[in-house]
Amino acid sequence: MAKQLSGAGLRGQVAGKTALSTVGKEGSGLTYRGYDVKDLAANCEFEEVAYLVLKGNLPNQAELDAYKAKLKSMRALPQPLKEVLERIPASAHPMDVMRTGCSMLGNLETENDFSEQQDATDRMLAAFPGMINYWYNFSHNNERIEVETGAESLAEQFLWTLHGKKPSELHTKVMHASLILYAEHEFNASTFTARVCASTLSDIHSCITGAIGSLRGPLHGGANEAAMELIEGMNDPEDAEQKLMGMLERKEKIMGFGHAIYSESDPRNAVIKGWSEKLAAENGNSSLYDISVRCEAVMWREKKLFCNADFFHASAYNYMGIPTKLFTPIFVCSRLTGWAAHVMEQRADNRIIRPSAEYVGEDFRTVTPISAR
Ligand SMILES: CC(=O)SCCNC(=O)CCNC(=O)[C@H](O)C(C)(C)COP(=O)(O)OP(=O)(O)OC[C@H]1O[C@@H](n2cnc3c(N)ncnc32)[C@H](O)[C@@H]1OP(=O)(O)O
Ligand SMILES: O=C([O-])CC(=O)C(=O)O
């Protein structure tokens, strides 16, 4: 059954055209440039998917090697950016660090002309994992990390710069899948933010900085962190059941469930749930996974609400030793591909985005002199 797409929040309104992805289209779940996201997550590295989303086709081996080599060569952080990162306190939210870091990069390496959009995007893709982990390690461990690691991929680079060592094969694989799942999603709130900004013919760093701000909220990307806070407060599946029932009775929102477009399931959930189960087995402790499975069952039984992409990401990331507050920045490192591709698409066929409002304010009136108010 299709979800009723009407009402507030521009739901169901076509706000532009895209050749990048389909979301919730009858029978096809989620596709990037015609490929099923499950097919991509099972068979590709993240860089192949980034290439696909940004350039239109999957790369051949030589193209992939060249693209990965290019990204690897662009990881160094400029000294003034490091200095800014070092001044941001440990108490800051890492999404605010991403926003500031992206904006600072735009000051240092400004996109002067749209012909630079692909290089500017690749530079952000290459630099963002090291950027957030430079700040994290400096502010939390008093350590200035080396961001030019031997990592062969963005997945490896994120975990390597976070933990200071080459990650295991399993963890690298999970990160590839996770980054692929998060890469693109049509006109979601953060992407729409990027497109609105692009439609004014602004620079790409402004578009991405704005998108990061939109993704930060708990109704969007921030839900993976909120889901972690929920499940870590539950002792076991029985406790999860009781706590959820209480929350539902109090009409509280359960983060990581529901979706603006999908009606019965989010196709990304099965993929990340599968990886979470494997990580639980590797860890020898399936508690978080078991709790998550019970939450999924209770929410479906009680409300016909299903896990979105964020819910099982919480346990998966936790099993890989990723601090909760770094969950949404990983989403940024991935969704940057979708945002940038949408900026490019908007620029290629642009008209400034400027909808109208239904006025519900005061009738026409004239100013009473201040002495008489
Ligand atoms: C990667 C991503 O960004 S995925 C989304 C991540 N966000 C979350 O997980 C936050 C929790 N979920 C939500 O807030 C919502 O489901 C959204 C924001 C994702 C979608 O919002 P909408 O399209 O407005 O939701 P929808 O119209 O389906 O809501 C229908 C009803 O279900 C309720 N509902 C929807 N999601 C939830 C939830 N997670 N917990 C409890 N109730 C919910 C709504 O409150 C609404 O109830 P009402 O009719 O009594 O007002
Ligand atoms: O499409 C949406 O509204 C939110 C979402 O799942 C995403 O951006 O990945």
Side-chain angles (χ1 to χ4, degrees):
M1 190 183 56
K3 185 168 175 178
Q4 203 61 33
L5 294 179
S6 60
L10 294 179
R11 198 71 79 259
Q13 315 261 349
V14 173
K17 292 182 182 171
T18 186
L20 295 171
S21 62
T22 61
V23 173
K25 224 172 111 184
E26 206 68 48
S28 60
L30 169 61
T31 64
Y32 299 169
R33 296 211 187 256
Y35 294 99
D36 189 327
V37 75
K38 293 197 237 78
D39 195 6
L40 294 168
N43 295 301
C44 295
E45 296 180 39
F46 171 68
E47 282 78 356
E48 292 173 80
V49 174
Y51 189 103
L52 168 72
V53 171
L54 288 162
K55 297 169 194 265
N57 289 301
L58 282 170
N60 62 27
Q61 191 63 56
E63 287 166 334
L64 178 63
D65 292 347
Y67 191 47
K68 286 172 73 173
K70 179 184 182 194
L71 293 176
K72 198 171 175 183
S73 74
M74 296 174 110
R75 287 178 183 158
L77 303 177
Q79 187 56 31
L81 174 57
K82 287 186 182 170
E83 285 165 18
V84 165
L85 295 171
E86 288 181 16
R87 283 173 168 260
I88 304 177
S91 59
H93 193 288
M95 284 297 278
D96 297 344
V97 180
M98 295 302 290
R99 196 188 59 213
T100 299
C102 177
S103 183
M104 184 64 185
L105 200 62
N107 282 292
L108 300 171
E109 301 175 8
T110 310
E111 183 202 30
N112 295 306
D113 185 274
F114 292 172
S115 64
E116 296 167 8
Q117 61 188 9
Q118 184 64 54
D119 285 342
T121 300
D122 292 341
R123 171 71 167 131
M124 287 188 273
L125 271 175
F128 277 8
M131 183 176 85
I132 189 62
N133 287 328
Y134 185 90
W135 166 78
Y136 184 81
N137 278 295
F138 183 81
S139 60
H140 290 67
N141 307 325
N142 210 14
E143 197 190 329
R144 290 188 168 92
I145 61 160
E146 179 51 74
V147 297
E148 292 188 275
T149 69
E152 292 304 325
S153 64
L154 205 138
E156 233 192 351
Q157 171 74 352
F158 185 88
L159 292 171
W160 193 321
T161 51
L162 173 62
H163 293 134
K165 58 178 199 290
K166 187 176 164 64
S168 72
E169 209 174 300
L170 174 63
H171 290 192
T172 304
K173 261 189 154 165
V174 178
M175 279 303 284
H176 274 292
S178 166
L179 294 169
I180 290 169
L181 296 178
Y182 274 144
E184 159 56 14
H185 219 244
E186 202 221 25
F187 276 24
N188 61 84
S190 56
T191 300
F192 197 58
T193 303
R195 282 193 83 126
V196 170
C197 188
S199 83
T200 70
L201 302 184
S202 188
D203 68 291
I204 197 158
H205 296 93
S206 295
C207 301
I208 303 302
T209 303
I212 292 170
S214 288
L215 189 68
R216 185 190 195 291
L219 294 190
H220 193 8
N224 53 18
E225 295 177 24
M228 187 64 222
E229 280 150 24
L230 176 76
I231 59 174
E232 72 188 348
M234 297 167 161
N235 301 321
D236 53 42
E238 283 312 310
D239 188 40
E241 170 115 17
Q242 273 188 13
K243 289 203 164 107
L244 271 189
M245 292 302 284
M247 290 176 79
L248 290 175
E249 220 159 273
R250 294 189 297 276
K251 301 222 171 311
E252 288 174 30
K253 208 153 229 195
I254 319 294
M255 297 307 177
F257 286 87
H259 199 272
I261 306 294
Y262 298 122
S263 60
E264 285 177 351
S265 67
D266 180 331
R268 300 167 292 185
N269 178 51
V271 180
I272 195 62
K273 183 180 173 186
W275 283 117
S276 175
E277 187 178 14
K278 285 196 178 71
L279 290 165
E282 182 210 45
N283 254 264
N285 178 358
S286 66
S287 173
L288 273 183
Y289 177 76
D290 296 340
I291 287 170
S292 304
V293 168
R294 180 65 74 91
C295 290
E296 184 177 35
V298 172
M299 290 298 284
W300 185 254
R301 187 189 71 214
E302 297 296 321
K303 290 272 166 197
K304 293 281 169 284
L305 281 168
F306 52 88
C307 296
N308 57 46
D310 281 332
F311 193 70
F312 275 91
H313 261 104
S315 51
Y317 285 168
N318 186 276
Y319 282 131
M320 293 194 287
I322 300 172
T324 304
K325 59 188 193 173
L326 292 183
F327 289 4
T328 320
I330 302 176
F331 198 155
V332 172
C333 293
S334 159
R335 184 56 59 86
L336 172 58
T337 48
W339 290 334
H342 277 275
V343 168
M344 294 175 193
E345 197 176 48
Q346 182 68 35
R347 286 173 171 180
D349 183 18
N350 187 54
R351 188 178 192 194
I352 191 166
I353 297 174
R354 200 308 188 184
S356 300
E358 180 191 357
Y359 181 66
V360 293
E362 299 284 350
D363 282 340
F364 184 79
R365 48 188 173 164
T366 54
V367 175
T368 310
I370 196 161
S371 57
R373 273 177 238 157

